[in-house]
Amino acid sequence: MGNTPTKLYPEGPTYNDTEFVNDADILNHKNYKNRSKNVSLANTLLNPNSNSMVGENYTNNTRQKQYSIFNKIDRDKDRKKYVKDREKLKEIHARGLVVKYDECCDGGFLAPFGCYNFDKLDYNIDIVRSLIIERKLAPFYTPLQDFDETWSREEIIKIVDGLPLHATFEENLEEFEDVPIGDLKKPNFDYLVDRSLSKREQRRQHAMIFKARLYRKRLIWQETANESFLEDKVDAKKNKIKNRYLPSDDLKYSLYKNGMECPICFLHIPGPLNYSKCCQQPICTECFVQIKRSEPHFPHEEVDPTKPITDDNSKDPNLLISEPSNCPYCATPNFSITYTPPTNRRTGIGGIPPSDYCEVAQNEIQKQEISGQEKENKETLGSPTSISASASPLSSSSSSSSGNKHKDIIISNIITSDDIRPDWEAKLKKERSRLAKRAANATAIHVSNQLVDPEYSLRQNSNTSSPAKYSVRGTNSKTKRKQLSLEELEEQMIKQAIQLSLEDQEKSKKK
Amino acid sequence: MASLPKRIIKETERLVSDPVPGITATPHEDNLRYFQVTIEGPAGSPYENGIFDLELYLPDEYPMEAPKVRFLTKIYHPNIDRLGRICLDILKTNWSPALQIRTVLLSIQALLASPNPNDPLANDVAEDWIKNEQGAKNKAREWTELYAHKKN
């Protein structure tokens, strides 16, 4: 509050009738954004446990203070736990993005090469991995920057041999230049946060340190995977020991000789690629996982320039929308792709060891496929435990309904952008409720301000009115004020509190 | 700075080897994501015979995010504001990663040929355009004469 009221009720609250026309006026007050810091009473109102506060004790200033302190400790604890859980999930996600050479399908991998920023790799890893294993989606391949049709077999093999598993990491990002990361082996890094900062700044610093640490960890994880790939390659060459996960020369050649340029990243990718269902255009998996719904937003309308534009802040949160992505090529809504796995190779998980692949044997493989002996194939190459664990994530996906949906899709062989990001609906709901809550908080603040400081609404309005008008009001306000009963305000607040807690309950039920 | 994605390198090469008539785009020496652009006003439009300077920047997320394009030459157009910002769907919500620098610039050229005052960025210009189209077009022609380079 601009001026903290010294007395809660100076001879009962009084209001100026000209300022205080009706409830809607208070509810739609536009200045609430600037006052969002002042939420203590609003929180007591919003918290269902504080019902008694609203009824009896709100005039008791000290009790109210104690109560809000307890509330605050609880909130801090909850927030900490929430942050920790989220960080854990992020780390698991990042681990799933490490390319490992022994997790391969038909010459490609289960994690992306790294053409796009880590922040944008927010697709559901388990779903994508299992789609690749089931040959419903092309694997992630190591791309070639260029390809020349005149290259000989030897040249191609030599180039492929020199390919890394992952795009190079920038060792020292500018973003994290002065961020301490401490001991990466210790999970707790609270000691790195500067305690002299404000709570808010501490949280920001915490988030930054987490980001920097995760970046460093990803770099180390990928480097470890790279090193074992390199060492095993050298080993296999030196000692002539066949490593069954390493691709044969035939496989390397056949992969890249039959590649094509993805029209989005312009990189040379082994075929076959995924194809858009609507217009049959190719798209590599690395680009496909980038395509997603728009962030929640208000619908864009063509407006009449002669009329005033409605402000986004005054729009109904339920109007927020998020459309499914369109096909990047022909703009057909609900972008979806199909994938036909290669008929001349089935290596890695669910196939023969990549080292055993030879072009002559392709006919045999085709025959094998026809006789449909996937089980035997799996025995041929025991999949690493991590894969078999994630091979059936569809059944373990959070909600059973979305799980069923995915099964349907897998049967039909059409993969939509929403399939690999099933959380879009939750995100939209979250954003809607965030906006609704913000509006509710603002309302509560205004009601509380009227209650504790009768001159609040007067001051608020005077900010926007002309100085001349203000002076008139300032001198006459006392005589003009009309009493608004305390009971009426109480009633108003209780109504608000009940409504909000009902809404909250409904929301948690839905979840 | 992170290395330049292959896509940007290839697009730049192809802009040079196969240029678009009436449009030029040259990358800046120090920053290969920043392009100096010129667009010829389309024949039959109030911008005819004018050559307009623009700047184009490819953000880090390109091609998943649209390039940022802005007119540097002053222009009287309902979808282009005083700062040169352009209101064009493909630069915002309808961006697609299959579009390229080339297609974006062609779309901007097309926008000069057919302004859309019902989705304005410069409200005053749009109002003028709706209420008095001929007058607005005359003004656009005057501004082209005043501010754009002359086509030889």
Side-chain angles (χ1 to χ4, degrees), chain B residues 41-140:
Chain B
S45 76
Y47 312 100
E48 191 173 357
N49 294 324
I51 296 177
F52 296 85
D53 288 323
L54 294 89
E55 58 179 3
L56 181 146
Y57 181 72
L58 303 174
D60 280 352
E61 312 304 337
Y62 181 81
M64 290 305 155
E65 248 172 44
K68 309 226 176 303
V69 199
R70 189 170 80 92
F71 270 84
L72 296 173
T73 308
K74 221 170 135 131
I75 183 167
Y76 196 75
H77 190 287
N79 310 105
I80 301 163
D81 74 359
R82 280 186 308 124
L83 300 172
R85 294 177 300 188
I86 306 161
C87 181
L88 183 60
D89 59 347
I90 60 155
L91 290 177
K92 303 210 169 70
T93 46
N94 285 351
W95 169 252
S96 148
L99 295 170
Q100 302 178 18
I101 300 172
R102 172 189 303 269
T103 37
V104 165
L105 296 180
L106 277 169
S107 301
I108 293 172
Q109 202 178 35
L111 186 69
L112 294 185
S114 46
N116 178 10
N118 290 319
D119 191 12
L121 195 60
N123 270 316
D124 46 337
V125 182
E127 215 173 317
D128 191 16
W129 216 275
I130 291 173
K131 286 181 178 157
N132 174 15
E133 192 175 332
Q134 203 45 53
K137 281 184 173 168
N138 286 341
K139 191 159 183 190

Side-chain angles (χ1 to χ4, degrees), chain A residues 2 33-34 61 68 118 182 192 271 275 460 472:
Chain A
K33 259 177 135 180
N34 307 328
N61 207 2
S68 57
F118 171 69
L192 294 170
Y275 282 85
Q460 282 293 302
V472 172

Side-chain angles (χ1 to χ4, degrees), chain A residues 193-408:
Chain A
V193 179
D194 185 354
R195 293 285 161 209
S196 65
L197 293 170
S198 70
K199 273 264 148 71
R200 201 200 179 132
E201 280 298 311
Q202 283 187 32
R203 276 202 293 275
R204 269 183 53 182
Q205 204 185 19
H206 184 97
M208 197 64 191
I209 295 173
F210 174 76
K211 254 178 108 176
R213 281 167 63 95
L214 187 60
Y215 185 79
R216 178 62 56 181
K217 281 183 191 174
R218 288 178 52 227
L219 206 149
I220 293 168
W221 293 332
Q222 189 60 65
E223 235 165 48
T224 316
N226 272 354
E227 266 167 31
S228 78
F229 177 50
L230 271 178
E231 278 167 20
D232 292 352
K233 262 203 281 196
V234 172
D235 252 21
K237 220 173 200 174
K238 241 194 211 161
N239 307 327
K240 301 244 157 101
I241 303 168
K242 206 155 97 180
N243 180 325
R244 51 202 212 130
Y245 295 111
L246 290 173
S248 65
D249 283 355
D250 270 4
L251 182 57
K252 293 173 206 161
Y253 176 70
S254 135
L255 277 172
Y256 290 91
K257 183 71 192 166
N258 301 310
M260 64 188 297
E261 190 181 285
C262 167
I264 289 178
C265 59
F266 288 25
L267 295 169
H268 183 83
I269 316 274
L273 269 61
N274 311 294
Y275 282 85
S276 63
K277 194 193 145 230
C278 42
C279 56
Q280 290 299 306
Q281 292 299 306
I283 183 170
C284 74
T285 299
E286 192 139 356
C287 290
F288 173 67
V289 299
Q290 288 294 313
I291 292 174
K292 58 173 172 179
R293 280 176 175 260
S294 55
E295 296 294 322
H297 61 101
F298 288 109
H300 177 81
E301 302 149 354
E302 291 223 335
V303 287
D304 183 346
T306 51
K307 283 177 189 158
I309 305 158
T310 27
D311 185 25
D312 270 2
N313 284 328
S314 51
K315 284 181 182 165
D316 179 0
N318 289 317
L319 292 178
L320 273 184
I321 49 161
S322 165
E323 305 97 335
S325 50
N326 294 342
C327 168
Y329 304 110
C330 68
T332 302
N334 271 314
F335 180 49
S336 54
I337 54 113
T338 56
Y339 171 64
T340 315
T343 48
N344 65 340
R345 63 175 195 269
R346 194 175 172 95
T347 62
I349 301 159
I352 60 165
S355 60
D356 288 356
Y357 175 86
C358 51
E359 277 180 297
V360 205
Q362 57 171 273
N363 287 336
E364 272 175 49
I365 293 162
Q366 266 166 311
K367 266 183 223 158
Q368 275 181 4
E369 251 170 33
I370 292 159
S371 62
Q373 35 137 288
E374 249 194 55
K375 275 182 192 169
E376 220 180 289
N377 278 340
K378 266 185 186 159
E379 281 161 26
T380 326
L381 185 72
S383 39
T385 44
S386 61
I387 294 161
S388 46
S390 61
S392 57
L394 298 173
S395 51
S396 68
S397 72
S398 51
S399 71
S400 59
S401 65
S402 72
N404 287 336
K405 208 175 132 206
H406 286 298
K407 268 178 201 156
D408 292 346

Side-chain angles (χ1 to χ4, degrees), chain A residues 93-100 108-118 120-123 125 128-129 132 139-143 164-167 169 218 222 285-287 289-290:
Chain A
H93 182 80
R95 264 191 192 278
L97 291 171
V98 176
V99 185
K100 295 177 184 149
F109 304 100
L110 303 185
F113 176 73
C115 298
Y116 295 102
N117 269 346
F118 171 69
K120 304 282 163 178
L121 294 169
D122 53 355
Y123 65 87
I125 285 183
V128 167
R129 285 168 69 100
I132 293 174
F140 295 102
Y141 290 102
T142 314
L165 278 177
H166 192 277
F169 279 85
R218 288 178 52 227
Q222 189 60 65
T285 299
E286 192 139 356
C287 290
V289 299
Q290 288 294 313

Side-chain angles (χ1 to χ4, degrees), chain A residues 2 71 77 86 118 124 141 143 154 176 196 203 208 241 253 269 306 310 338 421 424-425 438 457 480 506:
Chain A
N71 244 354
K77 265 190 185 164
R86 269 187 57 139
F118 171 69
N124 183 308
Y141 290 102
E154 281 64 38
F176 305 132
S196 65
R203 276 202 293 275
M208 197 64 191
I241 303 168
Y253 176 70
I269 316 274
T306 51
T310 27
T338 56
R421 280 187 181 81
W424 68 268
E425 207 168 357
R438 203 172 70 178
S457 66
K480 271 195 179 175
E506 237 168 75

